[in-house]
mmCIF file of all heavy atoms in Angstrom:
data_model
loop_
_atom_site.group_PDB
_atom_site.id
_atom_site.type_symbol
_atom_site.label_atom_id
_atom_site.label_comp_id
_atom_site.label_asym_id
_atom_site.label_seq_id
_atom_site.Cartn_x
_atom_site.Cartn_y
_atom_site.Cartn_z
ATOM 1 N N GLY F 515 48.602 20.499 -21.267
ATOM 2 C CA GLY F 515 48.926 19.486 -20.292
ATOM 3 C C GLY F 515 50.358 19.054 -20.371
ATOM 4 O O GLY F 515 50.950 18.565 -19.356
ATOM 5 N N VAL F 516 50.951 19.125 -21.513
ATOM 6 C CA VAL F 516 52.349 18.776 -21.736
ATOM 7 C C VAL F 516 53.236 19.929 -21.431
ATOM 8 O O VAL F 516 54.256 19.784 -20.732
ATOM 9 C CB VAL F 516 52.576 18.273 -23.232
ATOM 10 C CG1 VAL F 516 54.079 18.080 -23.504
ATOM 11 C CG2 VAL F 516 51.833 17.075 -23.531
ATOM 12 N N GLU F 517 52.894 21.098 -21.871
ATOM 13 C CA GLU F 517 53.802 22.241 -21.770
ATOM 14 C C GLU F 517 53.863 22.772 -20.328
ATOM 15 O O GLU F 517 54.827 23.294 -19.861
ATOM 16 C CB GLU F 517 53.342 23.413 -22.698
ATOM 17 C CG GLU F 517 53.535 23.022 -24.161
ATOM 18 C CD GLU F 517 53.284 24.137 -25.105
ATOM 19 O OE1 GLU F 517 52.954 25.283 -24.653
ATOM 20 O OE2 GLU F 517 53.434 23.954 -26.319
ATOM 21 N N THR F 518 52.755 22.521 -19.558
ATOM 22 C CA THR F 518 52.876 22.958 -18.106
ATOM 23 C C THR F 518 53.947 22.075 -17.393
ATOM 24 O O THR F 518 54.614 22.550 -16.470
ATOM 25 C CB THR F 518 51.460 22.735 -17.427
ATOM 26 O OG1 THR F 518 51.575 23.349 -16.094
ATOM 27 C CG2 THR F 518 51.083 21.312 -17.255
ATOM 28 N N LEU F 519 54.127 20.813 -17.859
ATOM 29 C CA LEU F 519 55.107 19.955 -17.262
ATOM 30 C C LEU F 519 56.511 20.319 -17.769
ATOM 31 O O LEU F 519 57.451 20.356 -17.019
ATOM 32 C CB LEU F 519 54.782 18.489 -17.535
ATOM 33 C CG LEU F 519 55.689 17.460 -16.959
ATOM 34 C CD1 LEU F 519 55.712 17.576 -15.423
ATOM 35 C CD2 LEU F 519 55.282 16.073 -17.344
ATOM 36 N N THR F 520 56.673 20.516 -19.090
ATOM 37 C CA THR F 520 57.987 20.722 -19.663
ATOM 38 C C THR F 520 58.553 22.094 -19.232
ATOM 39 O O THR F 520 59.802 22.253 -19.088
ATOM 40 C CB THR F 520 58.001 20.632 -21.151
ATOM 41 O OG1 THR F 520 56.983 21.546 -21.685
ATOM 42 C CG2 THR F 520 57.649 19.171 -21.597
ATOM 43 N N THR F 521 57.707 23.076 -19.014
ATOM 44 C CA THR F 521 58.153 24.417 -18.630
ATOM 45 C C THR F 521 58.181 24.582 -17.075
ATOM 46 O O THR F 521 58.820 25.475 -16.548
ATOM 47 C CB THR F 521 57.262 25.515 -19.186
ATOM 48 O OG1 THR F 521 55.915 25.388 -18.688
ATOM 49 C CG2 THR F 521 57.229 25.389 -20.697
ATOM 50 N N GLY F 522 57.377 23.701 -16.418
ATOM 51 C CA GLY F 522 57.286 23.852 -14.970
ATOM 52 C C GLY F 522 56.396 24.979 -14.497
ATOM 53 O O GLY F 522 56.384 25.325 -13.320
ATOM 54 N N ARG F 523 55.679 25.581 -15.413
ATOM 55 C CA ARG F 523 54.817 26.731 -15.121
ATOM 56 C C ARG F 523 53.325 26.346 -15.209
ATOM 57 O O ARG F 523 52.899 25.692 -16.211
ATOM 58 C CB ARG F 523 55.083 27.917 -16.053
ATOM 59 C CG ARG F 523 56.415 28.554 -15.874
ATOM 60 C CD ARG F 523 56.614 29.772 -16.732
ATOM 61 N NE ARG F 523 56.596 29.364 -18.196
ATOM 62 C CZ ARG F 523 55.550 29.585 -19.022
ATOM 63 N NH1 ARG F 523 54.431 30.043 -18.556
ATOM 64 N NH2 ARG F 523 55.691 29.290 -20.269
ATOM 65 N N PRO F 524 52.501 26.681 -14.238
ATOM 66 C CA PRO F 524 51.077 26.403 -14.333
ATOM 67 C C PRO F 524 50.445 27.303 -15.374
ATOM 68 O O PRO F 524 50.943 28.421 -15.612
ATOM 69 C CB PRO F 524 50.532 26.736 -12.929
ATOM 70 C CG PRO F 524 51.534 27.683 -12.352
ATOM 71 C CD PRO F 524 52.881 27.353 -12.964
ATOM 72 N N LEU F 525 49.402 26.855 -16.000
ATOM 73 C CA LEU F 525 48.711 27.627 -17.050
ATOM 74 C C LEU F 525 47.240 27.753 -16.582
ATOM 75 O O LEU F 525 46.599 26.739 -16.258
ATOM 76 C CB LEU F 525 48.773 26.833 -18.387
ATOM 77 C CG LEU F 525 50.185 26.614 -18.918
ATOM 78 C CD1 LEU F 525 50.094 25.729 -20.185
ATOM 79 C CD2 LEU F 525 50.940 27.887 -19.213
ATOM 80 N N PHE F 526 46.741 29.010 -16.655
ATOM 81 C CA PHE F 526 45.384 29.294 -16.200
ATOM 82 C C PHE F 526 44.648 29.946 -17.330
ATOM 83 O O PHE F 526 45.134 30.956 -17.941
ATOM 84 C CB PHE F 526 45.345 30.178 -14.970
ATOM 85 C CG PHE F 526 46.042 29.539 -13.721
ATOM 86 C CD1 PHE F 526 47.361 29.839 -13.458
ATOM 87 C CD2 PHE F 526 45.317 28.674 -12.888
ATOM 88 C CE1 PHE F 526 47.941 29.287 -12.362
ATOM 89 C CE2 PHE F 526 45.988 28.073 -11.839
ATOM 90 C CZ PHE F 526 47.256 28.419 -11.522
#
Side-chain angles (χ1 to χ4, degrees):
V516 173
E517 294 189 0
T518 189
L519 182 60
T520 56
T521 64
R523 292 183 293 104
L525 302 174
F526 299 95

